[in-house]
Amino acid sequence: MDRPTGRDTAALRRTVGDAATPWTEVAAAVRALGRAGEEEQEYATRTLLDRELSLLWAEEIAEAMTDYAAPHRAAVAERLRGPASATGAFDEQRIQAALALAALGPEYRDEAVGALRGAIADPQTGQPSRYRAAQLRWTAALALAQTDPELRDEAAEVIRREDLANDGWENELARAEHLHELGGAWAEEARRMLLALREQVDEEFAVDVDLALEEFDESEDSEDSEEDSADGSGVPGLLSPEESAAQLRARIQAGQGERGDVFVALSDQAGDQIWNVLRPVEFGSVKLTCKELTGAPRSGRPSPGPDASTEDYVVELNPKQRHHRPVTLHYRYHPELEAVLVLTLVVDA
């Protein structure tokens, strides 16, 4: 994407420094300033450290800084180490800090893994509820697998060895749902657990089990759809130039998109994916990319379209990140409309 200069840089500085700015917009501004050079990276880092960094959004902020020079990322890492290594009774912020540490770059991944292992092993002295302590350990185990997928076996063992609830049925349902989040063989194990549980429970609890099984099916159907898009059978080849132009005209008239030198809008499918498929940090990356395309509509990698008259492009978001899923954004530029339609988003599981 184009490097911001002049008035754009000044606006980005104000966004980062304004305590009233939503954190998603702060993250987008931090990422953009990172492309403006060392001086702007230093300003963004210093301003962030002068603020009370929300750990709820720390991973998104850290991911936006992955292209920053090492000293700036190291300064943010130092801020995160305290909450990531806290001992005793703790809440989700300890886990969020560890995930943010991993998001700063591969050189911090081992440190983040160590922090999450420490959270899992911590007896959480002072935690008023055994249920709460177990819940946090399971959450930390899922974060461990997210940080390094090669540690999913280790995460699964944490979930298997401890009871989350006193009630046997409730516990097995929760265990299966957490194992399913790990994917692969663990998702198959989770399904077998629920099918076996379904034969044991009363009619009332069977409703909860059936709902969980339906959610498993919907999740797997979504993953299959993403694979279909990745192998070339997705929306980019099915949405004709006439259909994409019609969607753009409707959105331009309704003002449903980003305005700049060109207008950028989401297709029907991409709009659904924003809310039903993407995680918050991924949503932030897509939103920033759409804003950048308003000034540079041909900045993606050219991609074959349905005919020679189309200008289809691909942008890879977060390609260097191992702690969360990369996203491939497919879009079509219509010069005659001075507008872009984001056709679809493919998430790498």
Side-chain angles (χ1 to χ4, degrees):
M1 297 297 174
D2 294 341
R3 174 174 171 166
T5 57
R7 184 181 301 175
D8 289 339
T9 301
L12 291 169
R13 281 188 171 220
R14 288 194 297 272
T15 297
V16 174
D18 187 350
T21 303
W23 281 104
T24 298
E25 294 182 21
V26 171
V30 167
R31 187 190 302 276
L33 283 174
R35 294 192 302 275
E38 180 76 17
E39 182 179 348
E40 298 306 326
Q41 290 183 11
E42 181 178 354
Y43 172 83
T45 304
R46 184 175 65 252
T47 304
L48 283 172
L49 294 177
D50 284 342
R51 296 182 59 174
E52 185 68 31
L53 181 62
S54 168
L55 290 177
L56 179 63
W57 296 99
E59 183 181 6
E60 185 170 353
I61 296 294
E63 192 275 333
M65 298 183 69
T66 52
D67 292 329
Y68 276 51
H72 306 310
R73 290 183 292 116
V76 175
E78 186 60 30
R79 168 69 66 84
L80 294 169
R81 287 188 177 105
S85 59
T87 58
F90 64 88
D91 57 20
E92 285 85 357
Q93 290 193 343
R94 181 173 176 181
I95 299 167
Q96 291 161 352
L99 285 170
L101 198 59
L104 284 171
E107 65 268 42
Y108 294 102
R109 189 171 58 249
D110 288 346
E111 188 175 350
V113 166
L116 290 167
R117 283 172 169 162
I120 292 168
D122 197 318
Q124 300 185 60
T125 305
Q127 191 67 254
S129 165
R130 180 184 176 280
Y131 172 90
R132 179 65 171 153
Q135 181 186 52
L136 287 167
R137 274 192 280 274
W138 283 18
T139 302
L142 291 173
L144 185 68
Q146 178 184 344
T147 302
D148 188 344
E150 294 182 2
L151 299 178
R152 289 190 294 175
D153 278 342
E154 183 176 335
E157 284 308 308
V158 174
I159 296 169
R160 288 192 188 104
R161 72 173 179 240
E162 186 170 20
D163 289 344
L164 184 65
N166 293 325
D167 183 278
W169 293 348
E170 291 281 358
N171 186 76
E172 288 309 291
L173 175 58
R175 194 191 307 278
E177 289 174 333
H178 281 72
L179 284 173
H180 190 267
E181 289 188 54
L182 294 176
W186 302 276
E188 295 175 11
E189 177 183 340
R191 179 178 292 279
R192 289 194 299 269
M193 288 174 61
L194 287 192
L195 290 173
L197 183 62
R198 182 67 174 76
E199 300 301 316
Q200 305 169 21
V201 299
D202 59 30
E203 186 174 341
E204 182 179 356
F205 196 82
V207 174
D208 294 332
V209 177
D210 288 340
L211 286 173
L213 286 167
E214 288 177 13
E215 290 177 3
F216 287 6
D217 290 337
E218 290 173 3
S219 172
E220 289 157 12
D221 287 345
S222 174
E223 290 174 2
D224 290 341
S225 175
E226 290 162 9
E227 290 174 4
D228 289 342
S229 295
D231 68 14
S233 60
V235 168
L238 297 177
L239 192 64
S240 71
E242 293 75 20
E243 290 169 329
S244 59
Q247 288 195 23
L248 271 175
R249 289 190 182 97
R251 282 157 176 71
I252 291 171
Q253 185 174 3
Q256 298 172 340
E258 300 284 347
R259 292 192 176 276
D261 295 333
V262 301
F263 185 84
V264 178
L266 301 173
S267 71
D268 293 338
Q269 175 157 343
D272 289 340
Q273 291 171 313
I274 282 283
W275 300 111
N276 299 324
V277 177
L278 297 188
R279 298 169 182 164
V281 67
E282 297 159 355
F283 173 86
S285 296
V286 170
K287 182 178 180 181
L288 172 62
T289 300
C290 288
K291 287 184 178 180
E292 292 174 334
L293 289 176
T294 65
R298 292 187 172 97
S299 58
R301 170 169 54 84
S303 175
D307 62 47
S309 68
T310 65
E311 289 193 37
D312 287 10
Y313 299 90
V314 171
V315 175
E316 305 288 344
L317 308 180
N318 315 320
K320 301 177 183 178
Q321 295 301 304
R322 292 188 60 191
H323 66 284
H324 63 75
R325 308 171 302 176
V327 178
T328 303
L329 185 150
H330 297 258
Y331 70 92
R332 180 171 297 152
Y333 176 43
H334 287 261
E336 73 282 3
L337 296 176
E338 293 188 342
V340 163
L341 185 71
V342 176
L343 299 169
T344 189
L345 308 165
V346 178
V347 179
D348 238 346

